[in-house]
Amino acid sequence: MKTNIIYLVLFLFKIVCANIILLNSSDIHIDKPAAFGPSIAKEGIRGNLSTLPVDSLYGCHSITVCPTTHWIALVERGNCSFVDKVRALQQSGAIAVVIGDRYSNSWVTMYPSGDASDITIPSVYVAQYQYLSLLQHLAYKKDRSILVLLTQEENFSWTKSDISLLLMTCLGILYALYLTWRLPHRQRHMDYDHEESAPVEIIHSLPTRVFHKEKTDEVDECIICLEEYQETEIIRILPCKHEFHLKCIDPWLIHRKRFVSI
């Protein structure tokens, strides 16, 4: 269990933020590498960022005509999985893929929905602001292409989704550890109580009597509830000759102990 926790923490710390640098303007857009496929090399990836034709906006299918040479695909999130997009664009000749979200400015980690061992090109995710900004830069280009450099950022930065994932995972592990300890302990306690309690049939076979107050100065009371016996109440008589309310002693012997300390 401890080893799994260590592996999880190391995996999360390997997730870093990267940059998309527009070489013609030096503008920088933050992105987030996918959790599948190769990482971006230290020297970065230099290429022509290009969008796809309108009918291939989401990049879910390979295209036969590349928009430019040595190109990095910019596609929109949706309609298929992250892995399917990268696989289709890899088959189309792209050297990297940038996947953007048009409607949400929150950051997500692109996890594979299936086997991604065949993915040989890196891919990154950009939120709404970065995605729309990149589209705006491309809109001013006649060939719908702009020279960019994908680089790694040395500093690690957490996102809300990563923090939530880590917290939920840690809470789940702690709860599992609690159950691992609690269930056997509870079972032992139940077994102990069962061994200590008296059999129901034996208790019900013990004699009883109806209480009638006698003319005496002695006060008769049940030492369990500490209340005086009332006329016509049912009294249980134990083998030791001690007497108790039937309503008090029966639950005590059945659910707690097979004896009463007096």
Side-chain angles (χ1 to χ4, degrees):
M1 184 69 70
K2 292 182 179 179
T3 304
N4 292 337
I5 297 174
I6 294 173
Y7 284 155
L8 173 65
V9 173
L10 290 177
F11 173 75
L12 289 175
F13 270 94
K14 286 172 64 179
I15 300 176
V16 297
C17 283
N19 290 326
I20 302 175
I21 303 175
L22 279 60
L23 297 180
N24 66 336
S25 63
S26 297
D27 287 348
I28 298 176
H29 293 70
I30 298 174
D31 62 38
K32 189 172 185 182
F36 59 89
S39 302
I40 299 174
K42 289 184 177 181
E43 62 273 15
I45 300 176
R46 184 187 181 100
N48 297 303
L49 184 68
S50 304
T51 55
L52 275 62
V54 176
D55 58 349
S56 302
L57 180 65
Y58 294 96
C60 294
H61 305 285
S62 58
I63 59 176
T64 56
V65 180
C66 299
T68 183
T69 59
H70 207 66
W71 63 292
I72 299 172
L74 176 63
V75 295
E76 188 169 326
R77 180 184 183 184
N79 285 17
C80 61
S81 68
F82 295 127
V83 173
D84 289 340
K85 292 178 186 292
V86 179
R87 182 178 291 114
L89 294 167
Q90 175 180 291
Q91 294 171 354
S92 303
I95 61 173
V97 179
V98 178
I99 300 175
D101 194 323
R102 182 182 294 270
Y103 304 103
S104 174
N105 203 40
S106 61
W107 290 91
V108 300
T109 301
M110 298 193 298
Y111 292 103
S113 56
D115 182 25
S117 59
D118 60 324
I119 302 300
T120 59
I121 62 173
S123 57
V124 298
Y125 176 87
V126 292
Q128 180 187 41
Y129 176 83
Q130 284 77 13
Y131 179 60
L132 296 180
S133 176
L134 291 171
L135 289 178
Q136 186 176 13
H137 279 283
L138 289 170
Y140 296 114
K141 299 295 181 179
K142 292 182 180 180
D143 58 354
R144 305 283 294 179
S145 175
I146 187 171
L147 187 63
V148 300
L149 178 66
L150 304 186
T151 64
Q152 272 197 356
E153 182 70 40
E154 295 297 331
N155 296 325
F156 174 82
S157 66
W158 287 98
T159 66
K160 292 182 179 179
S161 60
D162 288 333
I163 294 174
S164 300
L165 175 63
L166 180 60
L167 289 177
M168 288 188 293
T169 303
C170 291
L171 289 175
I173 293 173
L174 289 175
Y175 184 66
L177 291 174
Y178 169 76
L179 291 179
T180 303
W181 169 84
R182 179 61 180 171
L183 292 180
H185 178 77
R186 181 180 178 86
Q187 185 62 43
R188 287 195 299 269
H189 183 71
M190 292 175 63
D191 293 342
Y192 176 78
D193 287 346
H194 179 72
E195 293 174 357
E196 288 293 309
S197 61
V200 177
E201 60 273 11
I202 293 179
I203 295 173
H204 288 171
S205 67
L206 295 176
T208 60
R209 71 179 181 86
V210 179
F211 178 79
H212 295 290
K213 189 173 181 62
E214 300 178 357
K215 294 181 179 180
T216 176
D217 293 333
E218 184 178 353
V219 177
D220 293 324
E221 67 177 16
C222 173
I223 65 170
I224 294 179
C225 64
L226 301 180
E227 293 183 1
E228 294 185 23
Y229 298 129
Q230 301 299 319
E231 193 71 18
T232 70
E233 283 189 320
I234 305 300
I235 305 300
R236 177 77 75 187
I237 305 172
L238 300 188
C240 60
K241 305 306 181 183
H242 290 102
E243 299 180 348
F244 306 89
H245 279 130
L246 182 143
K247 63 181 180 181
C248 295
I249 191 62
D250 281 16
W252 177 283
L253 296 175
I254 294 172
H255 300 295
R256 301 189 65 177
K257 300 287 184 180
R258 65 176 67 187
F259 59 87
V260 181
S261 300
I262 299 178

